[in-house]
Amino acid sequence: MSELPRHDAFVQATPLDACQSIGWVFAIAGSSSRVLIDRAAVSGIAGHPDPVVAAAGQMGSQIKMRVGGSWLIANVRALQLEDAAGTTIAADIDFLGEGDEERLTGKLYSFRRGVTRYPMPGCEVFPVTTADLRQIYAAMDRAHIEIGTVYPTTDVRAALYVDAMLGKHFALVGSTGTGKSTAAALILHRICDLAPQGHIVMIDPHGEYAAAFGNNGAIFDVSNLQMPYWLMNFEEHCEVFLTTSGSQRQIDGDILAKCLLMAKAKSRLGQEIPKLTVDAPIPYLLSDLTSLISLEMGKMDRAGDTAPYLRLKTKIDEIKADPRYGFMFSGMLVADTMAEFLRRIFRLPGEGKPISIVDVSGVPSDITAVVVAMLSRMTFDYAIWARGEAQRPILLVCEEAHRYIPSGRETDSAVGRILGRIAKEGRKYGVSLGLITQRPSDLAEGVLSQCGTIISMRLNNDRDQAFVRAAMPEGARGFLDSIPALRNREGIVCGEGVAIPIRVAFDALAEAKRPASDDPLFSQLWRDVGGEEAIIGRVIKRWRSQGK
């Protein structure tokens, strides 16, 4: 290989000079290009008091180039030695954006995403400074929340643009134990502080978040949710009441549809609606439904024809008698409480508590998916039917999202279908979706790519890393390589919610605002002894009474 040209700037470089050139552009190819970095120049600034300058040239760091009256900012994605002597390093870079150059001082200002003019080969490369990062990550006058500090600085604040993040959905991913729940609580707390009259619904499958939002949220669980069964649409009724599959399920479903429509038509509200459908949220009595099923069964000539009716009637009676389903199938929930239910769950008005935490950990496992489907569908349906009203956008946050929108089976359940539909169409109607998951590769294909902002904490699994990498924009590739090396409470943020991709160290949350998701300290807790008999007695009592 021929000898590369040496720039005088390298030879004359003085240590700790942030204004010196550290390399030059070697090749330009659209978003991804290559620069050559002088090892001596990089070594000369390694001890610089500015940690951003000191990190210049390292993988994941930023560099800048002067093109006309602008500074181009690029991210270093990959490094390798360019010559046998080890004096030059080749770096693959991704362009992030550009800012104007102040003529007198040479400082960067007015940063924006995208590149107008690319540099020519031979253009000098300079280290980015903390002052540059402040301009790059400045939130300016856009509505934003601050969630932490930009790595490797200690004082440059990382901001998320709320309107852009919520307008095009967001996802928070990370392996167990990386601080994912605390990061989610931090983001939601900051949104609540910014918009105390907001409308946020969070589905909490483990009962973690009630402890975090006791002061600024409304907490719902099986003891006070009071979700009327008649709010279910026909598809959700089928998931609860039908026990068969294949052709038998079709027969059972036809019977249920006929009897359900008649039960709704018997009610006062049902009689007022000229063209009543089986999906309309009309109060009806479960006893009316079972009576109608018995009535239809009596019209059958042969005993064999009564089997579908008996199956339906038995399942409905079983659910009515089971106290675990009382939060939804109680006889007290027949009155028309739809307006009150929507007001409570969607925080209309918020009264300073803009977030509803719906704890579904106490819901029987066989209908958990139906409850989540109902809440998700009602959020979407409300937004559709409220189009002519003053808009009240709603944020729906789904923890453990891979449980409800599993890969390859997204159309097999009501909850998978409605969450998939919200991901595709929700923003048209003012419904934002926030997905939190520890296994992004188990999410339905396409759902993660619908999220305009992705916040990735450490992912230990190769499949998960590849899945997130495929969903992120090209300019973030250099950041993605550091996902396996992230510390706890650190994340990569890219997409619509940030000016350019960033690595962020999340702020610490006060104890009272953290979710109850801390890992047990085995070494300490296993030293505690005494009172085991009383503990077992209390546990068994709660177990047998199912928490009642």
Side-chain angles (χ1 to χ4, degrees):
M1 185 174 169
S2 59
E3 185 70 22
L4 291 164
R6 298 276 296 177
H7 281 222
D8 292 341
F10 298 146
V11 180
Q12 298 166 5
T14 54
L16 309 182
D17 182 5
C19 298
Q20 73 180 45
S21 165
I22 58 168
W24 65 96
V25 174
F26 181 70
I28 291 291
S31 61
S32 179
S33 303
R34 175 169 276 213
V35 300
L36 299 180
I37 296 173
D38 185 89
R39 275 190 67 192
V42 169
S43 299
I45 58 171
H48 199 281
D50 183 338
V52 179
V53 174
Q58 296 179 17
M59 198 179 87
S61 66
Q62 285 85 43
I63 53 175
K64 63 184 180 181
M65 289 140 268
R66 185 187 283 111
V67 178
S70 300
W71 282 114
L72 260 58
I73 306 297
N75 187 62
V76 177
R77 175 163 42 91
L79 297 167
Q80 68 180 67
L81 276 177
E82 182 68 13
D83 58 353
T87 59
T88 312
I89 299 165
D92 291 326
I93 61 168
D94 298 308
F95 288 106
L96 301 172
E98 65 185 9
D100 298 326
E101 180 188 12
E102 200 173 79
R103 287 188 177 180
L104 293 175
T105 62
K107 290 180 179 177
L108 178 147
Y109 70 99
S110 297
F111 180 82
R112 61 257 175 206
R113 192 182 290 184
V115 176
T116 308
R117 286 173 58 194
Y118 285 96
M120 294 293 288
C123 177
E124 288 188 321
V125 171
F126 299 88
V128 163
T129 66
T130 297
D132 293 333
L133 287 190
R134 281 203 186 90
Q135 286 295 318
I136 292 168
Y137 297 117
M140 294 175 288
D141 55 352
R142 294 174 67 179
H144 66 278
I145 54 170
E146 292 184 351
I147 56 168
T149 53
V150 177
Y151 179 88
T153 71
T154 56
D155 58 348
V156 176
R157 300 295 289 159
L160 290 176
Y161 300 132
V162 173
D163 294 329
M165 181 177 83
L166 301 186
K168 296 184 180 174
H169 313 310
F170 72 92
L172 172 58
V173 303
S175 297
T176 303
T178 57
K180 186 170 76 285
S181 298
T182 308
L186 170 71
I187 290 167
L188 292 174
H189 272 300
R190 296 285 156 85
I191 292 173
C192 289
D193 293 343
L194 179 74
Q197 298 300 326
H199 313 285
I200 306 169
V201 180
M202 178 171 208
I203 295 161
D204 176 11
H206 302 305
E208 295 176 340
Y209 292 89
F213 293 93
N215 294 326
N216 60 344
I219 314 300
F220 300 100
D221 57 20
V222 289
S223 68
N224 68 345
L225 185 57
Q226 295 176 321
M227 175 182 274
Y229 58 86
W230 47 265
L231 286 175
M232 291 190 291
N233 65 9
F234 178 63
E235 184 180 17
E236 290 148 8
H237 271 91
C238 289
E239 291 209 3
V240 177
F241 292 150
L242 302 191
T243 55
T244 51
S245 58
S247 59
Q248 281 188 326
R249 189 177 181 88
Q250 183 65 49
I251 294 165
D252 292 6
D254 292 342
I255 295 166
L256 177 61
K258 183 180 180 182
C259 296
L260 189 58
L261 192 57
M262 288 193 292
K264 289 184 175 185
K266 280 185 73 174
S267 71
R268 181 181 57 80
L269 268 174
Q271 291 168 8
E272 294 172 2
I273 296 172
K275 292 184 179 179
L276 187 63
T277 71
V278 75
D279 282 330
I282 301 293
Y284 71 90
L285 288 166
L286 280 174
S287 55
D288 281 347
L289 181 59
T290 51
S291 299
L292 286 161
I293 290 170
S294 299
L295 200 65
E296 290 294 309
M297 183 169 62
K299 296 176 184 176
M300 296 294 106
D301 296 332
R302 293 172 302 168
D305 295 336
T306 62
Y309 297 90
L310 282 171
R311 276 196 301 266
L312 265 175
K313 190 172 179 300
T314 305
K315 182 65 176 178
I316 295 167
D317 289 339
E318 181 187 304
I319 284 174
K320 275 171 65 178
D322 193 331
R324 295 177 305 150
Y325 298 88
F327 73 96
M328 190 169 170
F329 291 94
S330 161
M332 307 291 288
L333 297 172
V334 185
D336 184 11
T337 55
M338 186 172 180
E340 169 64 15
F341 183 76
L342 294 176
R343 188 192 67 74
R344 289 189 307 136
I345 297 295
F346 296 152
R347 313 308 301 145
L348 294 161
E351 298 169 342
K353 294 187 173 184
I355 185 167
S356 288
I357 304 294
V358 184
D359 175 3
V360 295
S361 60
V363 173
S365 58
D366 53 337
I367 65 162
T368 303
V370 174
V371 171
V372 176
M374 275 182 73
L375 289 166
S376 306
R377 178 187 54 77
M378 289 180 69
T379 304
F380 191 63
D381 282 356
Y382 176 82
I384 287 176
W385 296 111
R387 272 181 294 181
E389 307 293 334
Q391 201 171 20
R392 300 285 187 271
I394 299 171
L395 167 60
L396 177 67
V397 183
C398 194
E399 172 72 272
E400 297 281 4
H402 58 275
R403 286 170 50 171
Y404 307 117
I405 337 174
S407 175
R409 301 189 303 278
E410 58 263 39
T411 57
D412 284 359
S413 66
V415 66
R417 279 189 285 273
I418 187 58
L419 286 175
R421 190 177 175 197
I422 291 173
K424 294 183 184 80
E425 305 172 31
R427 65 187 186 89
K428 299 175 189 172
Y429 303 105
V431 179
S432 178
L433 186 63
L435 301 176
I436 304 170
T437 179
Q438 58 189 336
R439 291 303 306 271
S441 60
D442 287 348
L443 272 177
E445 191 175 355
V447 172
L448 194 64
S449 61
Q450 295 286 341
C451 295
T453 305
I454 296 177
I455 304 161
S456 177
M457 304 184 82
R458 188 174 69 251
L459 289 165
N460 301 325
N461 184 285
D462 288 344
R463 276 185 65 228
D464 290 331
Q465 291 168 23
F467 201 79
V468 171
R469 187 176 281 109
M472 283 187 170
E474 279 194 1
R477 284 182 297 182
F479 292 88
L480 295 178
D481 293 332
S482 61
I483 282 178
L486 292 171
R487 304 185 187 96
N488 285 355
R489 289 186 38 237
E490 278 190 356
I492 305 294
V493 188
C494 71
E496 302 292 333
V498 285
I500 61 170
I502 55 173
R503 177 173 171 177
V504 58
F506 288 100
D507 289 339
L509 259 182
E511 192 73 38
K513 292 186 173 184
R514 287 183 205 162
S517 59
D518 289 342
D519 296 329
L521 301 172
F522 289 84
S523 59
Q524 181 179 320
L525 294 174
W526 278 353
R527 293 194 193 111
D528 299 341
V529 292
E532 281 81 1
E533 285 184 16
I535 290 171
I536 289 174
R538 288 192 297 271
V539 169
I540 290 174
K541 188 176 179 182
R542 285 196 296 271
W543 197 339
R544 284 176 173 160
S545 63
Q546 295 291 293
K548 301 289 187 293

